[in-house]
Amino acid sequence: MKIRDLKLVRSRSGMDAWPEGKFLIDTVNAHSFVLAQQDTVFADALLKADALLPDGISIVKACRWLGMKNAPDEKIAGADLFAYEMEKLNRKGGVCFFLGSSPEVLARIRERAAKEYPNIRTETFSPPYKPVFSPEENQAMLSEVNAAAPDLLWVGMTAPKQEKWLRENWEALDIHCHAGAIGAVFDFFAGTVQRAPKGWIDAGMEWLYRLLKEPRRTWRRYLIDNPRFLWLVLREKIFG
């Protein structure tokens, strides 16, 4: 997979044109792009999403440097997607389902959502914390989501697990709504992890803020995968 293969949403205004109904939204950043080089299932999930958001300033700059005609105008983070979809659903009312994370995080999400989005009924399910789900566990997750018949579905299991789960189970999900893999947004909204202040985000330094705040969790992503991403972009620039 190359940068030029990515069909990225160009700006936040593009989200207004998304159709109603079953619609899969993923995000990509330098870390996930590097992971996808060695994981064809993950790469396929990103390439086949109905909408792919540039969730990293490095992706935006790489597209521009490569001279892509449809290069994104701005970074669109999972948190931006979350706010947009939640506000939209709150205006008309409906059901939002959060699949992933721990019971404690989900409890915080329900509490905050009830205050900030009073017209949304929040349903949650915490799957087992393990690399691979058994067929029975996977079916339990599908049954919970389908029974809720949500108007919006969020999956938060970290990349690439969340994107692969959505792609592999897309046909079995009996839903008629937008669904997004948003990873860290579960923790941001729950307040268990603090997102970078706006100044850091605007300066394109959200990655550095996260590295400073969570070095043990993020050092490999930013100190190893970021240089790998730069090499992949350079190689694509030279060899196409």
Side-chain angles (χ1 to χ4, degrees):
M1 186 175 75
K2 298 181 179 181
I3 294 289
R4 291 187 178 91
D5 296 329
L6 304 178
K7 298 178 181 179
L8 297 161
V9 176
R10 294 191 63 183
S11 67
R12 290 175 177 84
S13 62
M15 298 190 288
D16 295 332
W18 290 345
E20 298 295 328
K22 198 173 184 181
F23 191 78
L24 177 57
I25 310 160
D26 282 333
T27 67
V28 62
N29 55 30
H31 170 63
S32 56
F33 184 81
V34 169
L35 291 180
Q37 304 307 306
Q38 304 298 325
D39 189 331
T40 57
V41 176
F42 183 32
D44 184 66
L46 295 179
L47 294 173
K48 290 184 178 178
D50 294 311
L52 186 61
L53 303 182
D55 187 6
I57 194 64
S58 55
I59 291 288
V60 175
K61 290 184 175 181
C63 291
R64 293 175 183 171
W65 192 55
L66 291 171
M68 291 172 56
K69 293 181 179 179
N70 294 319
D73 299 323
E74 58 183 332
K75 168 187 172 181
I76 311 173
D80 301 319
L81 169 67
F82 177 80
Y84 173 85
E85 292 282 2
M86 293 294 282
E87 289 165 6
K88 181 180 177 181
L89 182 57
N90 190 58
R91 288 194 292 270
K92 62 181 181 180
V95 179
C96 178
F97 199 104
F98 290 81
L99 175 65
S101 198
S102 67
E104 294 76 19
V105 168
L106 293 176
R108 287 172 175 248
I109 286 174
R110 289 194 300 271
E111 182 179 359
R112 182 175 175 184
K115 296 176 182 177
E116 296 191 12
Y117 304 107
N119 297 322
I120 297 177
R121 190 179 89 238
T122 302
E123 300 285 347
T124 62
F125 185 76
S126 177
Y129 185 71
K130 56 195 302 188
V132 180
F133 301 120
S134 70
E136 294 76 18
E137 291 165 342
N138 200 67
Q139 185 56 52
M141 295 159 65
L142 290 169
S143 297
E144 289 285 339
V145 174
N146 290 340
D151 300 287
L152 184 59
L153 170 63
W154 297 123
V155 178
M157 305 176 190
T158 72
K161 186 177 180 180
Q162 59 196 11
E163 291 85 0
K164 291 164 68 171
W165 188 89
L166 272 170
R167 171 50 55 190
E168 291 167 355
N169 292 279
W170 192 237
E171 298 302 322
L173 283 166
D174 185 18
I175 57 175
H176 304 281
C177 65
H178 290 184
I182 57 173
V185 179
F186 277 50
D187 286 315
F188 292 157
F189 189 69
T192 50
V193 174
Q194 184 180 359
R195 194 185 179 198
K198 187 175 184 300
W200 288 71
I201 297 172
D202 292 344
M205 300 298 286
E206 185 171 11
W207 67 271
L208 180 58
Y209 183 88
R210 290 194 67 185
L211 176 60
L212 294 174
K213 283 288 186 177
E214 302 178 275
R216 295 179 64 182
R217 180 180 176 185
T218 64
W219 72 271
R220 181 176 295 275
R221 170 181 300 193
Y222 297 123
L223 300 184
I224 295 181
D225 286 349
N226 275 10
R228 286 178 177 171
F229 175 77
L230 292 175
W231 161 243
L232 290 169
V233 176
L234 179 61
R235 188 175 66 180
E236 187 170 338
K237 179 73 171 180
I238 296 172
F239 299 107

